[in-house]
Amino acid sequence: MAEDARRTTRSRLRALGTPLAAFALLLALIGAVALWVGTNAHRLITGETATVRTLERCTEGVGTAPAASCGSEWVFPDGGTGHGEIKNPPVAVGDRIFAGDDWAYSSTAPLHRAVWLPGALLCLLVLGTIALAVGYRIDTRRARAAPPPPAPPHPARHRPPGPGPTT
């Protein structure tokens, strides 16, 4: 009896393998997108405007090379300073940028794109995952509740030869 229970459990786990793997993949993708969106959203919330103080070693992004950036130092309205790479130049000394202590963008537009577009994708993934899970659950319930298929009709019984119908 215990052996039958183990076989049943194993067969159920095997049957769930593909849906669980797909669900795990979706969750991993949702987690990765959420982390990326969260980092950029944090920058968008905590950043502030600053003024470029110095510029050095600007690079241009070409083809598959990294995006254009400039090493720089900037000063915040409260007198604090920051330094690092400014993404998406062109910028010049004296320009206003959006920055944190060790990161900066020439404007908030790249951060908004990095938050809202993947954020919309994340919402679609979550809703799609929920829809797939609900659909799977409904299908398994229907399969369990469905009556067994009707038995095939019995073949005609063999009749011994005899006088046929009379007219």
Side-chain angles (χ1 to χ4, degrees), residues 57-76:
R57 57 184 202 326
C58 289
T59 61
E60 287 292 324
V62 179
T64 59
S69 63
C70 289
S72 178
E73 187 176 314
W74 50 86
V75 62
F76 295 103

Side-chain angles (χ1 to χ4, degrees), residues 68-167:
S69 63
C70 289
S72 178
E73 187 176 314
W74 50 86
V75 62
F76 295 103
D78 65 1
T81 61
H83 62 348
E85 298 287 321
I86 300 176
K87 306 274 194 230
N88 299 347
V91 290
V93 173
D95 284 354
R96 299 192 51 81
I97 58 172
F98 188 75
D101 290 334
D102 58 355
W103 57 269
Y105 289 87
S106 58
S107 71
T108 59
L111 285 172
H112 280 288
R113 279 192 304 270
V115 168
W116 296 111
L117 292 177
L121 174 66
L122 180 64
C123 288
L124 288 175
L125 282 172
V126 168
L127 291 175
T129 302
I130 291 170
L132 286 173
V134 168
Y136 178 76
R137 182 75 174 171
I138 289 171
D139 286 348
T140 56
R141 280 190 176 175
R142 269 193 203 139
R144 283 188 206 134
H154 293 292
R157 294 185 179 194
H158 177 68
R159 295 180 188 244
T166 57
T167 53

